[in-house]
Structure formats: C-alpha cells, structure tokens
Amino acid sequence: MPDQLALQIDVAECAPGSAQEVDLVESVITACGGDPRAAVRELLADADFLRDQLYTASCLLSRGIGRGWTPKYERV
C-alpha cells in the first residue's frame, strides 16, 4: 500500500484574513513530485480507501445510531 498523501501547506497561508489562498491542486501535484498523473492516481486511491471505510462504518453502525442516515458512496 502506498504512503498516505501528505500536503505541505504553510500555516501562515491559512490564517484568517490572509490575502493568499491555498491552491490545493498545486499542493497535491507538488506532494507527488510534480507529476500530475501520479497526483490523480493518489487521489483515486484515497477516494477508494475512503469509500471502503464508509462501507465498513455503514455495516457496523445501526440505523438507531445514525438516526436513519445512510451513506452515499458517490457525489450527486
């Protein structure tokens, strides 16, 4: 399993009222060594992992705990 994608984001850029906005696309590509194809590959792997975690959690949670909530596995 590949290492988790770790973004290097400067905390000063995220400060409230800061004029700069963090470009997440550039951050992801930079974290993947500048290779956009590797960035997409990593994001797809992360999405797949999160879908699996959501499926596992939905199997373990009762409807009472979730108050009738059921997960959606794809964006609508």
Side-chain angles (χ1 to χ4, degrees), residues 26-41:
E26 283 301 319
S27 297
V28 170
I29 292 173
T30 301
C32 293
D35 183 5
R37 292 178 66 85
V40 171
R41 221 176 280 117

Side-chain angles (χ1 to χ4, degrees), residues 1-2 4 42-57 73:
M1 172 180 253
Q4 181 178 359
E42 287 296 318
L43 290 173
L44 289 173
D46 285 348
D48 187 45
F49 171 77
L50 292 173
R51 278 191 201 95
D52 183 50
Q53 292 294 296
L54 183 59
Y55 174 75
T56 301
Y73 295 98

Side-chain angles (χ1 to χ4, degrees), residues 61-69:
L61 288 173
S62 71
R63 284 187 149 299
I65 290 175
R67 299 181 184 226
W69 174 83

Side-chain angles (χ1 to χ4, degrees), residues 5-31:
L5 182 63
L7 301 179
Q8 300 297 322
I9 299 174
D10 185 14
V11 177
E13 292 178 13
C14 301
S18 129
Q20 294 179 342
E21 288 191 27
V22 175
D23 186 358
L24 291 178
V25 173
E26 283 301 319
S27 297
V28 170
I29 292 173
T30 301

